[in-house]
């Protein structure tokens, strides 16, 4: 199989009915960059910037952040990179970042983390914004914010970038040619405000890892709950389809960047609800490209519409049977 996947490296992921599906990878460290050429992925759909902070004994200086981001963009060449601002706090604590109000939280996943930390410790976000803007000089910068629950949080985070951009311009420094902003959709509250967030953004990345835990109120890191919910449940798939339908026709790229997208049946289901961009773990790129090449996207969409209107007892089984019958 490895040889089959290697041969798919230069194959553009187009479905049997001619739909171009974008298959990108998730990354976070310099070591991950080689995966871009190894897999032939369409870009980095999620660059988790907090990894540099997590592997460092002290807060990474701005220049160090700039160097990393520049290397990432260099390695990506013409392919897009979606940088996510730091998602730290909660359970990903940094010894050098005091969490006076976050210490000993009872529910860290829904606590003081991600953008909530960045907006309060705005020195951290300012440094990161400057590093990203400098690294992407004369290129396109794609930046997204994690755990956005309310549109004002996006505005506040973007204002930090605007401030840094104005500063660089006032100093006659080179700045990005274009800046595209996005949000992670991980908190269900944001999905109820799509009309309010849509005019502000150019892309949205659905983080199904967090989204699932919040939809089901089930801790993603608790193994006792792992069997309690399924990514292929009508709850998730209806939710995702509603998001895709609501944003349809708007110039917003929607990507799924949670672990779910790297699994065969889950990826099939995602394409069934209208997702056409996946950002996945590099090892899954070959298998998912192979799946796409055999898939009639129109047919899985039609099947999914029926299943979600009147869900079968076991949607996972129905999907598996559907795929087997078609030699997928
Ligand atoms: C997610 O929540 O699905 C996601 C991609 O972000 P992370 O796994 O880093 O929380
Ligand atoms: Mg997340």
């Amino acid at each position: 199989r490895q040889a089959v996947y290697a041969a798919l490296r230069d194959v553009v992921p187009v479905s049997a009915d001619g739909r171009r599906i974008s298959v990108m990878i998730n990354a976070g460290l310099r070591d991950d960059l080689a995966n871009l050429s190894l897999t032939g992925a369409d870009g980095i759909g999620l660059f988790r910037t907090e990894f540099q902070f997590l592997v460092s004994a002290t807060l990474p200086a701005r220049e160090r952040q700039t160097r990393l981001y520049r290397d990432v963009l260099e390695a990506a060449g013409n392919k897009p990179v979606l940088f996510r601002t730091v998602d730290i706090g909660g359970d990903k604590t940094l010894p050098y970042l005091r969490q006076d109000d976050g210490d000993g939280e009872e529910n860290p996943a829904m606590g003081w983390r991600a953008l909530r930390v960045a907006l309060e410790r705005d020195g951290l976000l300012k440094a990161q914004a400057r590093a990203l803007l400098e690294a992407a000089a004369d290129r396109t910068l794609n930046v997204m914010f994690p755990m956005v629950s309310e549109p004002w949080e996006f505005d506040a985070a973007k204002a930090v970038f605007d401030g840094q951009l104005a500063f660089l311009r006032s100093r006659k420094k080179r700045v990005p040619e274009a800046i595209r902003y996005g949000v992670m959709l991980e908190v269900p509250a944001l999905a109820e405000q799509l009309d309010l967030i849509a005019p502000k953004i150019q892309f949205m990345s659905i983080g199904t890892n967090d989204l699932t835990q919040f939809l089901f109120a089930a801790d993603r890191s608790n193994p006792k709950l792992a069997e309690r919910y399924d990514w292929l449940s009508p709850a998730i798939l209806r939710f995702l389809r509603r998001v895709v339908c609501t944003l349809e026709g708007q110039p917003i790229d929607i990507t799924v960047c949670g672990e779910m997208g790297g699994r065969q049946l889950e990826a099939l289901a995602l394409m069934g609800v209208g997702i056409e961009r996946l950002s996945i773990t590099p090892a899954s790129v070959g298998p998912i490209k192979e799946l796409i090449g055999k898939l009639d996207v129109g047919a899985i969409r039609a099947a999914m519409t029926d299943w979600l209107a009147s869900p079968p007892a076991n949607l996972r089984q129905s999907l598996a049977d559907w795929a087997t019958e078609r030699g997928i």
Side-chain angles (χ1 to χ4, degrees), residues 244-320:
V244 172
C245 291
T246 307
L247 294 178
E248 189 151 39
Q250 306 205 39
I252 297 174
D253 291 335
I254 306 177
T255 303
V256 165
C257 61
E259 300 309 318
M260 147 177 206
R263 300 167 61 144
Q264 296 280 310
L265 288 181
E266 280 78 353
L268 187 60
L270 288 171
M271 290 184 273
V273 297
I275 295 288
E276 298 195 325
R277 307 170 72 88
L278 301 169
S279 188
I280 60 183
T281 189
S284 295
V285 171
I288 295 298
K289 274 191 178 183
E290 190 180 33
L291 165 74
I292 292 166
K294 295 185 197 160
L295 181 64
D296 181 331
V297 172
I300 189 61
R301 283 204 192 169
M304 190 58 82
T305 300
D306 291 344
W307 287 326
L308 293 186
S310 175
N314 187 339
L315 189 42
R316 176 172 289 278
Q317 193 57 51
S318 302
L319 263 162

Side-chain angles (χ1 to χ4, degrees), residues 48 84 87 92 113 146-147 184 186 207 209-211 220:
R48 292 178 163 110
R84 174 174 79 182
D87 182 0
K92 293 183 215 160
R113 62 175 277 208
M147 290 284 290
M184 295 276 294
E186 300 174 285
N209 304 334
D210 275 310
L211 181 63
R220 75 192 244 191

